[in-house]
Structures are given as structure tokens and as C-alpha cells.
Amino acid sequence: ANALFRYEKYMENYSRNVAALEKLGEREKKILFLRYYEGKTQTEISEEVGISQAQVSRLEKAALQKIREKMNT
């Protein structure tokens, strides 16, 4: 029963993550992918995406906040 409970919690969290990511725009998704999956710096991302590093920082922060809000609902 304990393993089943952990699995159910995992799937619940997974579903929330997917739902949260679906709410993001393509640019936000790309920034998070480059930052956390590929491990690029904000400066590297800014060069690849064609926006300033400050803009990358703002978009990353806003995207993470959207995910946090969705995870808490």
C-alpha cells in the first residue's frame, strides 16, 4: 500500500507539472529547457534566443512563478 501511495503522489505531481508547462508560451518553454535541461547560462540563452540577458532573467523568473502557482492549486 505504501508503494501505491507514493506512485499515486508521483503521478499527481507529474500531471500538475505537465499542466503547468502547457500554460507557458513557447519562448518560456525554450528558456527553461535551455537553462535546466541543457544547463546554459542566461547569457548563452540570450544570444541563442535573440533577447537581452535581463529579458531572459525576467522570463525565467515569471515562468517559474507560473509553475509554482499551478503546482499549489
Side-chain angles (χ1 to χ4, degrees), residues 23-62:
K23 298 286 185 191
L24 300 178
E26 288 304 313
R27 186 164 60 173
E28 292 170 310
K29 289 178 193 175
K30 183 173 186 175
I31 287 169
L32 293 182
F33 173 80
L34 293 171
R35 186 86 165 117
Y36 296 99
Y37 185 77
E38 294 195 351
K40 295 192 176 194
T41 66
Q42 289 181 348
T43 301
E44 291 169 328
I45 295 168
S46 72
E47 293 166 359
E48 185 167 330
V49 177
I51 59 177
S52 71
Q53 179 275 324
Q55 228 177 336
V56 169
S57 180
R58 283 191 296 274
L59 288 167
E60 178 185 350
K61 183 178 179 178

Side-chain angles (χ1 to χ4, degrees), residues 2-30:
N2 198 15
L4 179 59
F5 175 77
R6 288 194 314 270
Y7 173 75
E8 289 172 350
K9 285 306 250 181
Y10 168 80
M11 290 306 296
E12 182 181 316
N13 287 335
Y14 176 82
S15 295
R16 282 189 189 161
N17 280 331
V18 169
L21 288 171
E22 287 174 347
K23 298 286 185 191
L24 300 178
E26 288 304 313
R27 186 164 60 173
E28 292 170 310
K29 289 178 193 175
K30 183 173 186 175

